[in-house]
Every structure is written in structure tokens, then in C-alpha cells.
């Protein structure tokens, strides 16, 4: 089974990447809680599910649970479930432009009192450990 974790900056194209993977025959789940990664991996790897390829979106919307991602990835390894990480990024200027064009709120908008630049900086800091271990950037 191929197990891809899609992550990255909000507005960098994760949803689009998941749609493309779905077009290539992947079973995709966006915004999967980090705590469910091992369970989802076990279910997907069960031969009775007949799933060959899965992709899950994991990002800053997980909030504080994101800090437990490394331990959940370790659990996947202990279960014998191999995974790949695709990390999508864009420069700050591009992310700001995308948010202004779509008029969507950044997931951290409430936390940073609508200061998009601060939200992006915080998100980049929180996701940097994941970016560093990504198989594809």
C-alpha cells in the first residue's frame, strides 16, 4: 500500500494536490486528526479494505495535536506502515495574495486578530519540523 501524507502551508495547494491524487486512484481524506493516523493506516493496510493507495491531509488545523505528529509517525513505523510526506509551500507574498483573492480566512486568523502575516509566520514555524523530514518538497 502507498500511504502519502500531504501537508504544508495553508493556501499552498494541499486541497488541489489531494484532488490530483484522487484522480490518480488514491483514497483521500483531508484534515485527518493526527491522533487517527495510526488507526487509519491500520485500516487502510488491511487487505480486506482493498485500498492500494491512500493520501491524508494533515496541517495546522490540527492545532495543538500537531505537536504529537512525530510520535504518531513513529507508531506508523512500528506497525510496519511505510509512508511518504509531500510538503507544499509558497512564499509569504503568494500566500497573502491567495488569501486576499479568495477572501477566505486563514485557519489561525482568530488567534492572530486577523494579522495574516503573523499567522503565516507562526504556521511556518509550527510546520518546519515536518518540512524538514518531507520526502517531497
Amino acid at each position: 500500500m502507498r500511504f502519502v501524507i500531504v501537508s504544508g502551508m495553508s493556501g499552498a495547494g494541499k486541497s488541489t494536490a489531494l484532488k490530483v491524487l484522487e484522480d490518480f486512484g488514491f483514497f483521500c481524506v483531508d484534515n485527518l486528526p493526527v491522533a487517527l493516523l495510526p488507526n487509519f493506516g491500520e485500516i487502510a493496510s488491511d487487505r480486506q479494505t482493498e485500498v492500494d493507495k491512500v493520501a491524508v491531509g494533515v496541517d495546522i488545523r490540527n492545532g495543538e495535536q500537531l505537536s504529537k505528529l512525530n510520535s504518531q509517525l513513529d507508531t506508523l513505523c512500528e506497525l510496519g506502515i511505510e509512508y511518504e510526506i509531500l510538503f507544499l509551500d509558497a512564499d509569504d507574498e503568494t500566500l497573502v495574495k491567495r488569501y486576499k483573492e479568495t477572501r477566505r480566512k486563514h485557519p489561525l486568523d482568530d488567534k492572530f486578530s486577523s494579522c495574516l502575516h503573523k499567522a503565516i509566520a507562526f504556521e511556518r514555524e509550527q510546520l518546519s519540523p515536518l518540512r524538514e523530514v518531507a520526502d517531497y518538497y
Side-chain angles (χ1 to χ4, degrees):
M1 174 189 65
R2 189 157 184 203
F3 191 104
V4 179
I5 298 168
V6 179
S7 191
M9 296 295 293
S10 299
K14 294 182 306 296
S15 296
T16 301
L18 285 169
K19 288 176 188 175
V20 170
L21 288 169
E22 196 169 50
D23 289 345
F24 282 109
F26 280 75
F27 181 86
C28 298
V29 177
D30 193 12
N31 197 20
L32 185 74
V34 167
L36 295 179
L37 268 174
N39 298 49
F40 182 79
E42 280 187 297
I43 292 167
S45 64
D46 185 337
R47 294 203 185 273
Q48 293 179 1
T49 61
E50 298 180 7
V51 176
D52 294 343
K53 301 181 281 189
V54 296
V56 296
V58 174
D59 56 42
I60 199 68
R61 293 174 290 177
N62 265 276
E64 295 296 321
Q65 291 297 310
L66 194 59
S67 65
K68 298 178 181 174
L69 181 59
N70 281 340
S71 67
Q72 299 301 343
L73 294 176
D74 290 343
T75 302
L76 282 174
C77 289
E78 290 167 11
L79 294 169
I81 300 170
E82 295 181 19
Y83 61 86
E84 302 166 85
I85 299 174
L86 166 63
F87 191 93
L88 298 168
D89 202 353
D91 60 62
D92 291 2
E93 183 179 313
T94 300
L95 296 174
V96 168
K97 181 181 175 188
R98 288 179 182 169
Y99 273 98
K100 286 183 179 179
E101 288 173 352
T102 63
R103 297 184 183 205
R104 292 190 68 200
K105 286 176 50 174
H106 188 279
L108 300 173
D109 198 48
D110 293 337
K111 182 174 183 165
F112 288 94
S113 304
S114 300
C115 182
L116 186 54
H117 290 284
K118 287 182 181 178
I120 290 171
F122 181 80
E123 180 181 21
R124 192 173 297 286
E125 178 185 315
Q126 294 298 300
L127 293 176
S128 66
L130 189 56
R131 183 182 66 238
E132 292 171 10
V133 298
D135 298 287
Y136 309 100
Y137 178 77

